[in-house]
Amino acid sequence: MKRLAPYITAVIILISAFLCGAADDTSTRIFDSRFKTLKVEVEDNFMAPPVIRLNSHDRLIVKFDEIGEDNSYLEYRLIHCNADWQPSRLIESEYVDGFNSVKIEDFAFSSATFVHYVNYLIEIPNDDIRILHSGNYLLQVYDPDDPDLTLLQARFQVSENIVNTVGDVTSRTDRGHYGEWQQLRFICNYDGLGNLNPYQDLTVFVSQNGRESTRKQIKSPLRSGSNENYYEHLPDLIFPASNEYRRFESTSNLFPGLNIDSLRYMGSNYHVWLKPDEPRSYKEYSFDRTQHGRFIVREYNATDSDIGADYITAHFRLETDRIPDTEVYVEGEFTHGQFDSSNRMEYDAEQRAYTLQIPLKQGAYNYQYVTRRRGSSELPSPTLLEGNKYETENEYLIEVWYRPPGVRADRLVGYSTLLPQ
């Protein structure tokens, strides 16, 4: 019976994932409205993608808030996923060292804020749990009295970094030069993996600014030789260039911050009105410092912004004519790739503008406006309202996966980022 215990536990975890919807949706997201501001970042480097190196000193930090006066007793577990972000066939003892049900004991209460909340912090790895296998990971938070119900979940990745990738991003593409596109070319050196079939055993995924809607699978290189795969002149390596993210900063309730038109206290918290935006499709490119869609929590006078930043209500306004049969959304890291009523804009005919109110924690935010056909299940695109400018400083993420024959899980053997030169 003892030999079967790890397998039984693994089955329970997979069943739990299915019951909470994670078997279909393994995105970073919040399921319970009590919780806000879910943030996943590498320790001391919020601009880095949420990727840590296996068997290194890297640490990943997961933070989130629970609105209210009291803390809850919460636990978390890790689920190993393959390259497609679906649970792998590994049992727990194959991918974590430690008991995979850990109490969240690092929490603190908000200080001098109008909206009271509890801030929780998880560090991975830690004394309770150590990661043994590379790949995609889903951290799920739950109430120990109801472990089948996931309250929130966060994605991160663990890389072996034994495949080295070098390359560049150019606006001289196979679809034309200096237009609406950017194209990648790169070389993967897999000398550290030994003998393999470079056309079958390695798979590459590429994405733009960490957005799941842009993630493409590159199954085979253009050519291979001398333990190197060459990825170039492939249609899936051409991306719409998009545009720089818009941004605003609300780091104080005493004065308007960057791109804030006005602010005032209403009801139980402060409201901030962003300066009105306009579509940028037909405007010339304008450089602006970018966080590649990310946000950072910050209150200018707080010694610890995680508990000193207050919750505001941000008012977005996009001035344009109504777009027939089209849904308009505000998108950024803070929306976690979700497109629903929480970030869908409504059209105000009198103001001739799309508007939206979102509760956010004080800080610096990147965002953009994206659209899709009404009633469609397609992923929204920024092209219509933001345009595609070849000068845009996008961040491209390259994942290299290895799956030799007979192995039950994918290995993430290389991870790198490319920026336009």
Side-chain angles (χ1 to χ4, degrees):
M1 186 65 183
K2 290 183 179 179
R3 294 183 179 179
L4 293 175
Y7 296 91
I8 294 173
T9 304
V11 171
I12 291 173
I13 291 295
L14 290 175
I15 293 174
S16 298
F18 178 78
L19 290 174
C20 73
D24 295 318
D25 186 355
T26 57
S27 60
T28 294
R29 65 175 302 181
I30 296 172
F31 296 101
D32 189 311
S33 60
R34 291 177 297 160
F35 299 96
K36 306 290 183 184
T37 316
L38 174 58
K39 177 71 173 174
V40 187
E41 62 185 37
V42 175
E43 186 178 39
D44 299 326
N45 188 2
F46 99 98
M47 282 293 288
V51 185
I52 56 176
R53 294 168 297 172
L54 187 67
N55 299 323
S56 73
H57 295 293
D58 294 350
R59 293 291 181 271
L60 193 92
I61 306 298
V62 179
K63 303 176 186 178
F64 58 92
D65 295 335
E66 180 181 13
I67 305 299
E69 305 282 349
D70 300 318
N71 68 290
S72 296
Y73 295 97
L74 303 173
E75 294 183 356
Y76 70 89
R77 60 184 166 235
L78 298 183
I79 295 178
H80 183 269
C81 296
N82 286 318
D84 62 359
W85 280 106
Q86 293 306 304
S88 72
R89 296 168 57 194
L90 296 181
I91 60 174
E92 287 181 355
S93 60
E94 292 178 294
Y95 64 85
V96 291
D97 179 15
F99 188 59
N100 195 16
S101 181
V102 185
K103 294 180 180 178
I104 303 178
E105 297 178 326
D106 191 344
F107 60 87
F109 296 91
S110 59
S111 174
T113 59
F114 288 102
V115 177
H116 295 174
Y117 60 87
V118 183
N119 178 256
Y120 298 87
L121 186 148
I122 301 169
E123 182 181 276
I124 299 292
N126 53 54
D127 292 338
D128 296 308
I129 197 166
R130 187 171 67 89
I131 295 175
L132 303 176
H133 199 286
S134 66
N136 288 334
Y137 280 84
L138 193 65
L139 183 148
Q140 295 184 327
V141 174
Y142 58 93
D143 184 330
D145 291 331
D146 191 3
D148 291 342
L149 183 65
T150 300
L151 302 173
L152 58 91
Q153 61 189 26
R155 285 181 173 186
F156 68 94
Q157 295 176 298
V158 178
S159 174
E160 299 176 33
N161 274 23
I162 56 178
V163 170
N164 183 44
T165 300
V166 295
D168 58 35
V169 180
T170 178
S171 55
R172 296 173 60 86
T173 77
D174 294 339
R175 294 190 180 184
H177 297 176
Y178 309 116
E180 300 181 354
W181 310 94
Q182 292 177 346
Q183 185 164 345
L184 282 69
R185 56 187 179 190
F186 52 89
I187 302 171
C188 293
N189 184 305
Y190 56 87
D191 186 56
L193 289 175
N195 294 326
L196 55 78
N197 185 328
Y199 291 95
Q200 295 182 3
D201 295 342
L202 291 181
T203 300
V204 172
F205 283 85
V206 181
S207 58
Q208 184 189 75
N209 298 323
R211 292 173 17 235
E212 181 67 19
S213 60
T214 68
R215 190 170 185 248
K216 299 179 182 180
Q217 181 178 2
I218 316 298
K219 294 184 177 180
S220 297
L222 179 69
R223 57 191 176 90
S224 182
S226 301
N227 291 326
E228 291 182 333
N229 276 0
Y230 294 80
Y231 296 87
E232 55 191 357
H233 298 295
L234 299 173
D236 283 338
L237 294 180
I238 302 175
F239 289 77
S242 190
N243 205 338
E244 304 293 356
Y245 279 88
R246 305 172 193 255
R247 61 190 177 108
F248 74 92
E249 295 182 4
S250 179
T251 59
S252 172
N253 288 330
L254 300 178
F255 53 84
L258 176 70
N259 288 329
I260 300 296
D261 194 42
S262 62
L263 62 91
R264 70 173 180 268
Y265 185 84
M266 293 175 56
S268 59
N269 69 308
Y270 271 88
H271 288 237
V272 299
W273 283 263
L274 277 63
K275 292 182 179 179
D277 288 317
E278 296 179 346
R280 299 187 294 175
S281 302
Y282 302 105
K283 293 186 176 183
E284 293 295 322
Y285 169 80
S286 177
F287 171 77
D288 195 8
R289 184 166 56 89
T290 181
Q291 297 169 188
H292 303 298
R294 299 180 177 93
F295 73 91
I296 183 171
V297 170
R298 182 184 299 143
E299 205 286 329
Y300 91 107
N301 204 34
T303 56
D304 183 354
S305 291
D306 287 333
I307 58 175
D310 212 336
Y311 274 85
I312 60 170
T313 300
H315 294 250
F316 293 83
R317 178 186 175 96
L318 176 65
E319 295 183 341
T320 184
D321 293 334
R322 184 196 294 272
I323 308 172
D325 300 320
T326 299
E327 297 172 342
V328 179
Y329 295 87
V330 174
E331 186 270 341
E333 182 195 23
F334 62 95
T335 64
H336 304 308
Q338 303 302 307
F339 301 99
D340 52 32
S341 59
S342 65
N343 62 330
R344 184 171 58 243
M345 307 187 80
E346 298 295 333
Y347 191 74
D348 187 319
E350 292 186 5
Q351 300 185 51
R352 293 186 61 189
Y354 286 92
T355 62
L356 175 68
Q357 300 179 30
I358 302 181
L360 296 173
K361 201 172 183 179
Q362 286 179 294
Y365 287 80
N366 270 193
Y367 70 99
Q368 60 184 358
Y369 296 106
V370 299
T371 63
R372 70 178 174 192
R373 290 182 292 110
R374 188 176 305 279
S376 169
S377 59
E378 64 189 14
L379 292 171
S381 165
T383 294
L384 180 63
L385 294 173
E386 305 291 1
N388 291 303
K389 315 297 180 182
Y390 70 86
E391 303 98 329
T392 304
E393 292 195 355
N394 293 301
E395 177 186 64
Y396 290 93
L397 312 179
I398 301 174
E399 313 162 31
V400 183
W401 292 87
Y402 180 43
R403 183 73 174 267
V407 175
R408 293 183 294 113
D410 297 335
R411 291 167 54 190
L412 180 56
V413 293
Y415 197 98
S416 60
T417 61
L418 291 180
L419 299 171
Q421 300 298 314

